[in-house]
């Protein structure tokens, strides 16, 4: 079955440090890939997306992600974390079943930022 | 502000009550979704509507009943819920099925 795996449930980084959140997918073809962020009590906000082309995509708030086909990965990175980045991050893929596409989410990685 | 509005933001209901969640978008999107977000579980896709037609029902119990009267509005009618149905219910919309989804802020539902 197709799936999205975020192996880290909770990560803590110091403010100003670099960040990498991991995402792996299991799918036979190249899916459409997304990263969303959710602040407490809020809905999800799109950070960035990959459909095709350049495998390094830039998003909002200084985030970027790199699609690596050989590793079935789409890891999210930020060179310098700010305290306001503390939130939960979700990787998602659009999986095609028949003629329809379903947006499938990983379990999320909660990011804590220490001063 | 994503352009997707959900009401109410919080809802407490008894197991014998009937209530409805509302979602509204004026983004011109054609697809609308209901997701359930429970603690320690991934976001679960419940229902999908595309051009007002239901295209997906992910084995959701019949105590949840969706309604999409037009492309801008989506409802989730609730009746005889169980405590385990307590969760954050998120509505989303997208231009098409392969585009990014825009999410509302969710309705925090507590069943007592």
């Amino acid at each position: 079955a197709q799936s999205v795996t975020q192996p880290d449930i909770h990560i803590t980084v110091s403010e100003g440090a670099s960040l990498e959140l991991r995402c792996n997918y299991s799918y036979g073809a190249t899916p459409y890939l997304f990263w969303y962020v959710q602040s407490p009590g809020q809905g999800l906000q799109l950070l960035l997306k990959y459909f095709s082309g350049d495998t390094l995509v830039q998003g909002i708030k200084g985030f970027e992600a790199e699609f690596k086909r050989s590793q079935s990965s789409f890891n999210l990175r930020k060179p310098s974390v700010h305290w306001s980045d503390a939130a939960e991050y979700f990787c998602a893929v659009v999986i095609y079943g028949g003629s329809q596409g379903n947006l499938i989410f990983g379990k999320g990685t909660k990011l804590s930022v220490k001063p | 502000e994503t352009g997707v509005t959900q009401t109410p933001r919080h809802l407490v209901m008894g197991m014998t009550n009937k209530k409805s969640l509302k979602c509204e978008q004026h983004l011109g999107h054609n697809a609308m979704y209901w997701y359930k977000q429970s603690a320690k579980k991934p976001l679960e896709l419940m229902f999908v509507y595309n051009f007002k037609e239901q295209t997906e029902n992910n084995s959701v119990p019949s105590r949840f009943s969706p309604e999409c009267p037009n492309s801008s509005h989506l409802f989730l009618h609730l009746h005889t819920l169980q405590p385990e149905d307590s969760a954050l219910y998120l509505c989303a919309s997208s231009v098409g099925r392969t585009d990014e989804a825009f999410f509302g802020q969710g309705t925090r539902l507590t069943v007592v």
Side-chain angles (χ1 to χ4, degrees):
Chain A
Q2 293 88 358
S3 66
V4 179
T5 303
Q6 292 180 248
D8 303 305
I9 296 173
H10 191 182
I11 285 181
T12 300
V13 299
S14 298
E15 191 168 17
S18 63
L19 170 71
E20 182 169 28
L21 301 182
R22 296 181 290 166
C23 174
N24 293 93
Y25 64 90
S26 170
Y27 185 55
T30 302
Y32 292 171
L33 298 156
F34 307 84
W35 274 100
Y36 285 85
V37 60
Q38 185 180 33
S39 298
Q42 301 297 315
L44 278 70
Q45 181 184 20
L46 180 71
L47 285 176
L48 47 78
K49 62 185 178 184
Y50 172 78
F51 284 3
S52 64
D54 192 347
T55 56
L56 183 64
V57 294
Q58 304 297 320
I60 62 171
K61 305 185 181 186
F63 285 92
E64 66 177 28
E66 186 172 12
F67 169 59
K68 292 186 177 180
R69 185 190 306 273
S70 61
Q71 298 177 19
S72 297
S73 69
F74 188 56
N75 294 348
L76 182 71
R77 301 194 294 249
K78 186 168 185 178
S80 178
V81 170
H82 188 260
W83 64 266
S84 60
D85 293 325
E88 191 152 20
Y89 292 80
F90 293 90
C91 181
V93 303
V94 171
I95 302 292
Y96 290 92
S99 61
Q100 304 297 335
N102 291 331
L103 190 60
I104 305 297
F105 286 86
K107 291 187 177 182
T109 298
K110 185 176 180 181
L111 174 66
S112 297
V113 180
K114 58 183 180 181
Chain B
E1 183 59 52
T2 64
V4 180
T5 304
Q6 289 187 244
T7 54
R9 292 292 310 277
H10 299 272
L11 178 62
V12 180
M13 60 186 289
M15 289 190 285
T16 58
N17 291 159
K18 288 185 180 180
K19 296 287 184 183
S20 296
L21 310 184
K22 179 182 177 182
C23 176
E24 186 172 356
Q25 59 92 5
H26 295 288
L27 301 169
H29 291 172
N30 300 309
M32 295 189 77
Y33 314 80
W34 280 116
Y35 282 87
K36 177 183 178 182
Q37 186 177 32
S38 307
K40 298 186 169 93
K41 293 178 71 174
L43 276 155
E44 300 172 71
L45 178 64
M46 300 174 72
F47 300 104
V48 180
Y49 278 81
N50 202 25
F51 292 95
K52 300 188 296 179
E53 298 296 320
Q54 187 180 129
T55 58
E56 192 88 21
N57 176 341
N58 272 353
S59 303
V60 180
S62 60
R63 57 185 184 270
F64 295 91
S65 174
E67 178 189 3
C68 188
N70 55 61
S71 57
S72 299
H73 294 86
L74 184 65
F75 294 89
L76 187 63
H77 303 300
L78 316 170
H79 67 96
T80 59
L81 295 192
Q82 304 299 311
E84 59 265 28
D85 297 322
S86 299
L88 182 68
Y89 288 84
L90 291 163
C91 173
S93 70
S94 61
V95 173
R97 291 302 305 279
T98 60
D99 298 295
E100 68 264 32
F102 291 75
F103 283 82
Q105 293 185 303
T107 296
R108 173 67 63 186
L109 174 67
T110 303
V111 182
V112 297

